[in-house]
Amino acid sequence: MSMREQIVDAAERVIRDLGLARCTTKEIAEVAGCSEGTIYRHFRSKEDVFLAVLAERLPGLLPVLRALPEEIGSEGEVRASLQQVAEEALAFYRASMPMLLSVFAEPKLLDRHREWMQANNAGPHRAVELLADYLRRAQRADLVSRDADPVAASQLLLGACYLAAYGGVFAAPGTGSEPLREAEAFVRELWRTLAPAQSAAPARGRAKAR
């Protein structure tokens, strides 16, 4: 591991253990096993160290969304993709929320983070755009209802994952819901809105039979 990576790893540990407000270059240097001067040989400022942590050490949600297939062969593939997105979104929001919420208390760092997101075409809006694009492709293949709104459906799924993660931050250890079960529940309920008419009709028939 390079010294730069050691510094980023150390900064991540300090932020998670002490919080952003108490994360100083002195604390980072102590955990990384280097001098404060070494930090500034690799980064222009403490804010740059924090930005590196946000960009390099959080679970990657956008890469998963960018990798969603162009060609979709079945409804099962759509549901599997939505399941994967829900699982990754829950992991991303759970891991990133404590850190990202702290950024809002640091105006200078928040401005720098906004600039980075704009330069890299990232941010919450991008996740919705990528998922909505995938759902439009599924609509064109008649695998998702033509009446469904891809943007609204994307916001529903990602918003549910965000809210679940937010609640998990406050829950006592061991008392929150299992992420996989949450993801399955979100996708199952969302599919009632997205399913094509020919798939939804049998399901309604079974429900009436019961």
Side-chain angles (χ1 to χ4, degrees):
M1 182 182 294
S2 68
M3 178 52 67
R4 182 189 182 283
E5 290 175 320
Q6 287 180 236
I7 292 168
V8 175
D9 277 355
E12 180 188 13
R13 290 200 296 273
V14 174
I15 292 171
R16 293 196 185 282
D17 291 345
L18 302 180
L20 190 60
R22 294 173 59 192
C23 182
T24 64
T25 52
K26 181 179 179 181
E27 292 283 355
I28 295 170
E30 184 175 335
V31 173
C34 67
S35 67
E36 289 184 76
T38 299
I39 294 175
Y40 289 107
R41 281 199 290 273
H42 293 274
F43 299 93
R44 292 177 301 174
S45 65
K46 185 173 73 171
E47 287 75 22
D48 281 348
V49 180
F50 295 158
L51 289 174
V53 172
L54 292 173
E56 301 171 22
R57 292 299 184 269
L58 296 179
L61 176 58
L62 290 184
V64 171
L65 291 165
R66 292 190 182 104
L68 289 171
E70 290 291 330
E71 301 294 332
I72 312 166
S74 69
E75 291 176 27
E77 289 181 25
V78 178
R79 294 191 65 167
S81 292
L82 292 175
Q83 176 75 23
Q84 181 189 17
V85 169
E87 291 174 12
E88 293 293 341
L90 280 166
F92 172 76
Y93 293 135
R94 285 177 185 272
S96 66
M97 188 169 293
M99 199 175 300
L100 290 174
L101 290 179
S102 298
V103 171
F104 284 88
E106 301 283 342
K108 183 178 178 182
L109 181 58
L110 180 59
D111 287 342
R112 293 287 306 281
H113 187 46
R114 284 197 188 103
E115 292 171 2
W116 181 90
M117 287 193 294
Q118 290 171 356
N120 290 274
N121 194 22
H125 70 286
R126 190 62 182 139
V128 172
E129 290 172 353
L130 289 168
L131 184 53
D133 285 345
Y134 173 75
L135 292 177
R136 290 189 189 98
R137 295 197 295 276
Q139 279 181 322
R140 289 193 291 270
D142 291 323
L143 299 172
V144 162
S145 171
R146 297 280 181 158
D147 294 329
D149 183 331
V151 173
S154 300
Q155 291 171 332
L156 282 170
L157 181 59
L158 295 172
C161 292
Y162 181 89
L163 187 59
Y166 186 78
V169 170
F170 289 98
T175 62
S177 301
E178 183 183 340
L180 180 58
R181 290 182 181 274
E182 289 180 333
E184 291 173 346
F186 296 156
V187 172
R188 184 172 59 251
E189 294 303 316
L190 182 63
W191 190 250
R192 296 184 182 185
T193 300
L194 295 177
Q198 62 267 28
S199 297
R204 287 195 292 270
R206 288 193 298 271
K208 288 181 181 178
R210 289 195 296 271

